[in-house]
Amino acid sequence: MAPLTRSRSGRDGVPGEIVAEYYRQRASMGMLITEGIYPSADGQGFVRQPGLETQAQIDGWRKVTDAVHAEDGRIIAQIMHAGRVANSGITGQQAGAPSAIAIHGQTRTYEGKIPYEVPRALETDELPVIIADFVQAARNAIAAGFDGVEIHGANGYLLHHFLAPSANHRTDGYGGTPEDRARLTIETASAVARAIGADKTWLRISPENTIEDALDSDPIDALATFLAVAAGIAPLGLAGLSILHTDPSGSLVQQVRTRFGGRIILNTGFNSVTSLQDARNLTEGGWADAVVVGRPTLANPDLVRR
Ligand SMILES: Cc1cc2nc3c(=O)[nH]c(=O)nc-3n(C[C@H](O)[C@H](O)[C@H](O)COP(=O)(O)O)c2cc1C
């Protein structure tokens, strides 16, 4: 099951009974990847999003993982730092991002909608703190009974901002060339793998996805950037790489797959809802080791049986 933000937790980021029941109902999907969970309060992007920072949040997730395991499912925590998608109405502070560039459009606070705020450019010496927050959240996930974690490097949140030239105008070692823009994602994946084991660590990326203004609009640059990510994580022996792309059997994704060399799970992205035929084409065609399915699971907890 693909990660799907549900916004059903408490204002304190604690997932309650309704969250445990939601995941329990979908245990037959085999491997569930949770909604994006913030690693630290400054990384919360959405109202009623859950966290993996406090003991109460860890205890809440323990009820979720116990419920899924009781039904013979497996569950992976997706760790998501929202970066400039976060707003001060939720976090009480200005969001941090690679550069001080706002997203166009509106976002939600507990009080209603506001325009996206201009983030501040993170200092270079703040980046180890962000990595440490991912690591601590990954440790907390294991303490909460998760079978592993997926680092959210996709869909226009903090790590994707660093990858995307439109959002990253830095001149330190974390901006500029594709290799430098890939650095934070690679360092985060490496640190998490060291902390909890590479066999429990997944990474999700979304090359050429234009969501949240994280534009990878130059196809040559996008290929170079995501090949740099693949090359950087290839030696780690991660559990796998999850790629969201409208053309998953196409050249970019399959080149990234070859460069990565490990297990790969694919998803066709937001434009069309994954169908059984899509899933069959990708797996039986040998393009992926598995597919992740999102929206069809929302109204069909028993999707596998159906
Ligand atoms: C309501 C909703 C919430 C989503 N939340 C997340 C999320 O938290 N993390 C993530 O990586 N992707 C998220 N996605 C993307 C899905 O994982 C998936 O890639 C997308 O829905 C396309 O697959 P589908 O056609 O099978 O739904 C979300 C999608 C939807 C529709």
Side-chain angles (χ1 to χ4, degrees):
M1 184 169 96
L4 293 160
T5 287
R6 307 305 294 134
S7 298
R8 288 171 163 185
S9 295
R11 276 183 85 142
D12 52 4
V14 176
E17 283 304 322
I18 187 178
V19 178
E21 178 61 7
Y22 163 81
Y23 286 107
R24 187 197 65 74
Q25 288 168 338
R26 289 161 181 78
S28 66
M29 289 296 291
M31 184 171 107
L32 315 185
I33 304 170
T34 68
E35 61 208 279
I37 307 173
Y38 61 85
S40 51
D42 59 310
Q44 180 176 1
F46 304 118
V47 298
R48 302 214 169 277
Q49 189 187 352
L52 250 173
E53 185 182 25
T54 67
Q55 190 57 48
Q57 291 164 356
I58 296 169
D59 294 344
W61 282 116
R62 168 56 79 174
K63 294 189 183 117
V64 176
T65 61
D66 282 350
V68 171
H69 289 148
E71 303 280 337
D72 286 335
R74 303 229 172 145
I75 181 160
I76 306 286
Q78 188 186 57
I79 305 177
M80 165 188 150
H81 190 301
R84 64 183 183 163
V85 173
N87 68 68
S88 61
I90 293 178
T91 65
Q93 55 185 291
Q94 188 182 13
S99 303
I101 304 167
I103 300 172
H104 297 97
Q106 293 195 311
T107 186
R108 232 171 242 288
T109 69
Y110 283 100
E111 278 70 46
K113 282 191 171 179
I114 56 164
Y116 277 109
E117 296 167 347
V118 179
R120 67 187 182 81
L122 291 161
E123 302 291 340
T124 309
D125 64 7
E126 289 180 279
L127 301 182
V129 180
I130 303 254
I131 295 172
D133 288 342
F134 270 94
V135 166
Q136 189 56 49
R139 289 206 169 103
N140 293 348
I142 299 304
F146 282 102
D147 298 294
V149 307
E150 179 177 88
I151 298 162
H152 197 347
N155 295 355
Y157 301 105
L158 184 71
L159 295 178
H160 192 189
H161 301 152
F162 272 84
L163 294 169
S166 63
N168 182 348
H169 293 180
R170 299 178 77 86
T171 53
D172 62 4
Y174 292 87
T177 65
E179 289 72 20
D180 284 345
R181 277 182 275 120
R183 192 177 311 279
L184 186 62
T185 298
I186 296 166
E187 288 183 355
T188 303
S190 306
V192 168
R194 261 198 313 276
I196 65 161
D199 60 333
K200 293 191 174 64
T201 305
W202 297 77
L203 173 68
R204 189 175 213 202
I205 55 173
S206 57
E208 298 184 302
N209 186 348
T210 56
I211 193 165
E212 308 286 19
D213 284 359
L215 310 174
D216 306 313
S217 49
D218 175 350
I220 295 172
D221 182 84
L223 178 62
T225 304
F226 288 95
L227 283 178
V229 171
I233 61 170
L236 301 176
L238 297 186
L241 179 64
S242 175
I243 307 182
L244 179 156
H245 195 281
T246 47
D247 183 14
S249 58
S251 164
L252 183 146
V253 172
Q254 295 302 318
Q255 285 188 68
V256 168
R257 178 189 193 183
T258 304
R259 188 68 193 82
F260 172 60
R263 190 186 289 135
I264 200 159
I265 56 181
L266 293 183
N267 177 267
T268 49
F270 291 87
N271 291 351
S272 61
V273 177
T274 305
S275 66
L276 179 58
Q277 196 55 49
D278 291 333
R280 283 216 168 106
N281 290 347
L282 288 171
T283 49
E284 290 169 11
W287 302 109
D289 297 297
V291 291
V292 282
V293 182
R295 286 164 291 186
T297 68
L298 291 176
N300 303 285
D302 57 345
L303 186 74
V304 172
R305 185 180 63 81
R306 284 169 193 252

